Amino acid sequence: QRLRDMYKTLREDNWDGYDAVPISSSAYDKAKRLIWLIPPTLPEPEICPEPDGSIGLEWHKENGDTFVISFDESSVVTCAGVFGRNTEIHGVEEFKGSIPKILLNGLRQLFNVDK
């Protein structure tokens, strides 16, 4: 619901007052599909519209661990995560409707979920 409400307000040029590009329908559709695929036992992500027309999904833990997934109008999804002082991941993978392995690995690492 939050994603849909946000998308309705971000489809215009300059939605942020600083010349932001409208959020693309492709980015919205991919973010919506991924949110439905994320196990309901995990916390909901923060939804972050970007001025370039992409949408980010972010999870932040109190200890500083962070995992971010970003969708634009292309067929790929990008991600980056920081887990503790010495572990980082980042990658780009095609999003075909199921959760790409790198995203599953990042979410598992962030939330200490067994494979």
Side-chain angles (χ1 to χ4, degrees):
Q1 179 67 37
R2 286 183 303 129
L3 178 63
R4 183 177 52 215
D5 292 344
M6 184 181 294
Y7 178 62
K8 288 178 184 179
T9 64
L10 303 176
R11 292 186 294 184
E12 303 290 329
D13 283 326
N14 195 31
W15 55 262
D16 67 349
Y18 297 97
D19 298 323
V21 175
I23 298 300
S24 76
S25 60
S26 178
Y28 166 74
D29 289 340
K30 287 188 289 184
K32 181 174 67 173
R33 277 188 285 158
L34 185 70
I35 287 171
W36 279 103
L37 293 170
I38 294 171
T41 55
L42 298 181
E44 288 187 16
E46 182 178 332
I47 301 168
C48 302
E50 299 294 336
D52 66 356
S54 62
I55 296 176
L57 303 179
E58 300 183 5
W59 292 265
H60 303 277
K61 292 181 75 176
E62 289 182 16
N63 66 359
D65 290 2
T66 301
F67 189 61
V68 178
I69 300 169
S70 182
F71 303 91
D72 61 18
E73 58 188 38
S74 72
S75 64
V76 299
V77 58
T78 59
C79 69
V82 177
F83 314 105
R85 298 183 109 182
N86 300 316
T87 305
E88 296 180 9
I89 65 168
H90 53 82
V92 177
E93 196 164 328
E94 192 167 3
F95 183 54
K96 297 179 180 180
S98 60
I99 301 178
K101 191 173 189 173
I102 192 168
L103 302 185
L104 282 175
N105 290 340
L107 290 168
R108 286 179 179 140
Q109 186 148 3
L110 183 66
F111 295 110
N112 298 316
V113 178
D114 292 332
K115 295 182 178 184

